[in-house]
Amino acid sequence: MLDFTKSSAPAFQNLTPAQFAEGRQQPGAVLLDVRRPDEFAAGHLPGAFNLDVTASDFGPRVAALDKTRPTYVYCRSGARSASAAGQLATAGFAQVANLLGGVLDWPGALTTK
């Protein structure tokens, strides 16, 4: 018999923009933009690096990251980053957070540098 009261999906946190901004300030935090490279180039959060969640090499590139560092993930609206956050959690990342609403809801300035 199936037990629907327990989730087998690895956990990650969905954070509001304010919670996300506060959390990513912790020492060692990684800020990961999972949009396409062209979207990233058009504007991203300062300090972020880009790994396209839709790219065929996303899994191997994620595997090379430090799983012990807090990882903050975002995209345009929060859908792709939620998928990426689930993949990171499944891959054994200890602390993963997803930005609810993505950059569409981000109150701060984006950078192209």
Side-chain angles (χ1 to χ4, degrees):
M1 185 169 168
L2 294 174
D3 181 4
F4 291 103
T5 61
K6 295 180 183 177
S7 173
S8 61
F12 62 88
Q13 292 182 301
N14 284 309
L15 302 179
T16 65
Q19 292 168 321
F20 193 89
E22 182 180 334
R24 74 183 185 114
Q25 298 303 318
Q26 66 183 300
V30 174
L31 183 57
L32 180 59
D33 184 318
V34 297
R35 298 176 300 160
R36 294 184 320 267
D38 62 308
E39 293 174 291
F40 182 80
H44 54 273
L45 299 183
F49 75 97
N50 184 227
L51 283 180
D52 181 356
V53 70
T54 64
S56 61
D57 65 345
F58 181 76
R61 291 183 68 193
V62 160
L65 300 177
D66 184 347
K67 295 178 182 175
T68 65
R69 294 175 65 185
T71 305
Y72 289 79
V73 185
Y74 73 92
C75 66
R76 180 178 175 272
S77 66
R80 285 177 285 178
S81 56
S83 171
Q87 291 178 55
L88 291 169
T90 298
F93 282 72
Q95 184 181 345
V96 181
N98 174 49
L99 174 59
L100 289 171
V103 294
L104 291 176
D105 287 350
W106 185 251
L110 300 179
T111 184
T112 56
K113 296 178 184 179

